[in-house]
């Protein structure tokens, strides 16, 4: 039984490398267009705090497919790899490959706090922009729902302060968390990918 498991595992790894090699040969020449690797998938999930079910839902692929891919017991089709990578990119993760072949994951996501009675109107997938209101205070414009929503001022300190929304930002919301804030009461913290576009807007 142990021998059979070892041989099955060895065969699976051989098939994994063979399939991966075929995909690599068919891939575009640009380093940025290389397919997603299992280690990229695990690292990107960890960066976003997603479990395999979360990724499966966002990428619309089977959880078992992700589990086999991350354990390197099987590799998805090129189409599924693209869907997995797009799910991460829509969540603000940028994949870059250095000249020596190392893969870098860059967190490009931004966030903001929505205030007031319209705060709970924003959902994942909405397109938003950040602009100055009439009084010079930044506001969030939910372009999908045609509503202007008040937002909290830029935090003065904290490790996440540099990624807070800036004037002129545009993007697509990928996560919304409603919570109580000590200064503002009930707020909606949204995370978005700057300069992203909804899939149905891409021709």
């Amino acid at each position: 039984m142990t021998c059979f498991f070892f041989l099955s595992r060895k065969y699976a790894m051989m098939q994994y490398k063979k399939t991966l090699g075929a995909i690599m040969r068919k891939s575009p020449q640009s380093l940025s267009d290389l397919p997603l690797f299992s280690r990229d998938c695990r690292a990107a999930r960890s960066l976003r705090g997603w479990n395999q079910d979360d990724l499966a839902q966002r990428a619309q692929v089977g959880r078992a497919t992700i589990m086999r891919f991350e354990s390197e017991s099987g590799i998805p089709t090129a189409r599924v790899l693209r869907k997995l990578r797009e799910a991460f990119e829509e969540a603000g993760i940028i994949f870059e490959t250095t000249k020596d072949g190392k893969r870098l994951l860059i967190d490009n996501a931004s966030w903001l706090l929505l205030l007031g009675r319209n705060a709970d109107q924003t959902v994942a997938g909405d397109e938003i922009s950040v602009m100055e209101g009439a009084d010079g205070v930044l506001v969030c414009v939910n372009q999908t729902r045609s509503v202007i929503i008040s937002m909290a001022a830029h935090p003065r300190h904290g490790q996440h302060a540099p990624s807070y929304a800036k004037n002129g930002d545009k993007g697509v919301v990928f996560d919304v968390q409603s919570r109580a804030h000590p200064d503002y009461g009930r707020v909606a913290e949204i995370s978005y990918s700057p300069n992203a576009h909804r899939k149905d807007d891409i021709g």
Side-chain angles (χ1 to χ4, degrees):
M1 183 67 179
T2 303
C3 181
F4 176 76
F5 175 80
F6 175 77
L7 291 175
S8 298
R9 175 69 176 176
K10 184 176 181 180
Y11 176 76
M13 288 301 297
M14 289 174 60
Q15 290 298 108
Y16 176 87
K17 293 178 180 178
K18 181 179 179 181
T19 306
L20 180 58
I23 291 177
M24 290 284 287
R25 288 191 294 273
K26 295 179 181 179
S27 296
Q29 296 300 315
S30 171
L31 286 175
S32 63
D33 290 331
L34 287 173
L36 188 73
F37 295 103
S38 57
R39 60 181 178 272
D40 302 330
C41 194
R42 293 191 297 268
R45 268 201 314 105
S46 177
L47 184 62
R48 278 290 160 266
W50 297 347
N51 57 34
Q52 291 180 338
D53 288 324
D54 294 330
L55 177 57
Q57 182 178 5
R58 291 173 181 273
Q60 297 184 336
V61 302
R63 179 182 178 277
T65 299
I66 297 172
M67 183 172 61
R68 288 193 298 270
F69 177 44
E70 292 190 346
S71 65
E72 299 186 355
S73 61
I75 188 169
T77 63
R79 176 175 173 273
V80 171
L81 285 175
R82 286 194 299 270
K83 292 178 70 173
L84 291 172
R85 179 164 173 162
E86 286 172 0
F88 289 126
E89 290 175 336
E90 288 170 3
I93 296 178
I94 298 175
F95 297 91
E96 288 190 358
T97 306
T98 62
K99 292 182 179 179
D100 58 358
K102 294 181 180 180
R103 182 64 58 86
L104 301 178
L105 271 62
I106 301 173
D107 191 349
N108 190 46
S110 296
W111 66 285
L112 58 83
L113 289 180
L114 298 180
L115 312 175
R117 59 187 180 86
N118 293 326
D120 60 354
Q121 292 189 20
T122 299
V123 299
D126 284 358
E127 284 191 328
I128 64 166
S129 61
V130 179
M131 60 181 290
E132 286 189 359
D135 54 1
V137 177
L138 293 183
V139 295
C140 175
V141 181
N142 187 318
Q143 298 170 328
T144 302
R145 306 182 187 282
S146 300
V147 62
I148 298 177
I149 309 172
S150 299
M151 55 182 278
H154 194 291
R156 296 181 178 179
H157 51 79
Q159 67 179 88
H160 300 298
S163 59
Y164 195 73
K166 300 175 180 61
N167 186 26
D169 274 4
K170 294 181 180 180
V172 176
V173 176
F174 65 83
D175 188 59
V176 180
Q177 299 291 331
S178 295
R179 61 182 177 85
H181 191 279
D183 298 323
Y184 301 110
R186 201 69 187 171
V187 301
E189 180 178 330
I190 70 171
S191 300
Y192 63 97
S193 180
N195 302 317
H197 301 279
R198 289 185 317 206
K199 287 182 179 180
D200 55 5
D201 288 340
I202 300 175

